[in-house]
Each structure stands twice: as C-alpha cells, then as structure tokens.
C-alpha cells in the first residue's frame, strides 16, 4: 500500500513523503521510475536480510534501519527479531518502506 502523506496538508510544500507498507515488486518499480531511484536498490527492499546501511546514490540517500520487534523470542539472527525500515531521502522527498 502506498500512502502520500503530503496530499492532504493544509499548506503547500514541494517536499513529498511517500510511505509504502508491504510493497509489491510492481509498486517498487513504479516508485523507482517516478523518483529516479535505482531499480536495484528499490527491489532490495523486498529482501528481509539487509543489515543497517547508509549509501549515497545519485543525489539521494538509501538508508536501511532495523527496529526491534519484541514479539520475536529465542532467535539468533538480528533479522529474526527486528523489522526492516528502508528510507530514500533527499531535499525533495522522503520515501519510507516497511
């Protein structure tokens, strides 16, 4: 599901915040095209195994964060007890994917 948090603001802004929850490959490809993102980086959002990362790419940052999930128990790998949050950000947009 793709949500545009800047659509219903009471004021005008050139900054966009797009939030994507449980994206499909097609949704990620469309966002990559619409915002001139690397298709490869966008599709990496589908992989559950990414560790925290910061990468600069063509005028934006690609950031992978891990958030603790207290519902997971008795696990050994960081990927099993955390949820991945991916951000694409520059001065014109923030795209959050989780």
């Amino acid at each position: 599901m793709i949500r545009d948090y800047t659509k219903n603001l009471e004021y005008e802004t050139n900054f966009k915040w797009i939030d994507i929850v449980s994206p499909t490959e097609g949704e990620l490809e469309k966002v990559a095209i619409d915002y001139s993102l690397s298709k490869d980086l966008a599709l990496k959002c589908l992989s559950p195994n990414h560790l925290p990362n910061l990468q600069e790419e063509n005028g934006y940052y690609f950031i992978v964060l891990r958030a603790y999930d207290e519902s997971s128990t008795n696990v050994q790998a960081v990927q099993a007890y955390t949820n991945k949050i991916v951000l694409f950000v520059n001065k014109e947009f923030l795209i959050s994917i989780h």
Side-chain angles (χ1 to χ4, degrees):
M1 173 186 6
I2 299 176
R3 293 180 285 205
D4 181 349
Y5 282 112
T6 51
K7 269 188 177 178
N8 299 319
L9 292 176
E10 296 177 11
Y11 54 90
E12 274 195 52
T13 180
N14 291 331
F15 189 83
K16 298 283 282 185
W17 178 14
I18 306 298
D19 184 57
I20 307 172
V21 179
S22 300
T24 65
E25 186 173 323
E27 288 173 328
L28 291 174
E29 287 176 347
K30 180 179 180 344
V31 168
I33 291 168
D34 291 349
Y35 291 89
S36 302
L37 305 174
S38 161
K39 181 180 171 183
D40 290 338
L41 284 181
L43 292 178
K44 283 184 179 182
C45 296
L46 295 173
S47 171
N49 296 323
H50 277 287
L51 293 174
N53 184 24
L54 170 64
Q55 183 175 337
E56 187 175 3
E57 178 90 18
N58 295 327
Y60 60 87
Y61 291 97
F62 171 72
I63 305 166
V64 179
L65 305 170
R66 306 288 314 187
Y68 176 67
D69 178 0
E70 62 185 38
S71 66
S72 301
T73 58
N74 298 326
V75 293
Q76 298 298 317
V78 69
Q79 295 91 333
Y81 62 86
T82 60
N83 292 318
K84 182 175 63 173
I85 301 168
V86 176
L87 304 172
F88 290 92
V89 64
N90 70 11
K91 64 181 183 176
E92 298 170 357
F93 61 77
L94 167 64
I95 300 168
S96 51
I97 303 169
H98 49 101

